[in-house]
Amino acid sequence: KQTDAKTHMISMGERLRGGLAEAARRHGFALRQTGPAQMPMVLFDNDADLRIGNAFGLAALRHGAYFHPRHNMFLCAAHQAADVDRGIEAADLAMRDLAEAGFVQSR
């Protein structure tokens, strides 16, 4: 009641989506981001067996952020811009690692 938590969570979710999309473009991946912005699900295109998604989840974890490879995630009112930016940084590094390891997507 004292804060506009819903608007904040949507804003942080949109920030996350934008950062993930930019990281994916930079490293040659295509993403599908579904669900409400505050409950994102991130999937890699042409990854029916989740090979890329699972590898991404592990690589991102090594860089300090947990991204579930096959389920919606949940932002909360406590997530701030710096938290989201740190997650984007970990995702960017993870996608870099995957690109360097030869994970390629058919376009």
Side-chain angles (χ1 to χ4, degrees):
K1 291 180 180 182
Q2 296 172 339
T3 66
D4 191 356
K6 182 179 176 184
T7 298
H8 174 73
M9 288 184 290
I10 291 169
S11 175
M12 293 299 101
E14 290 170 351
R15 184 183 192 102
L16 178 63
R17 282 182 189 230
L20 292 175
E22 177 55 34
R25 276 190 295 277
R26 186 172 25 262
H27 298 291
F29 294 98
L31 299 179
R32 287 185 326 280
Q33 299 191 62
T34 65
Q38 68 274 27
M39 293 172 48
M41 182 169 186
V42 179
L43 298 168
F44 288 82
D45 284 351
N46 302 313
D47 187 31
D49 63 359
L50 299 174
R51 183 179 71 88
I52 299 169
N54 288 327
F56 168 73
L58 290 172
L61 192 57
R62 283 192 297 274
H63 290 290
Y66 178 67
F67 288 92
H68 199 290
R70 60 189 167 276
H71 195 279
N72 289 75
M73 297 170 281
F74 303 90
L75 282 89
C76 71
H79 286 111
Q80 299 300 310
D83 304 314
V84 173
D85 292 348
R86 178 63 189 104
I88 293 167
E89 178 185 353
D92 183 69
L93 293 169
M95 288 184 211
R96 180 206 63 197
D97 292 352
L98 293 184
E100 289 176 355
F103 283 83
V104 245
Q105 293 182 278
S106 302
R107 296 201 187 242

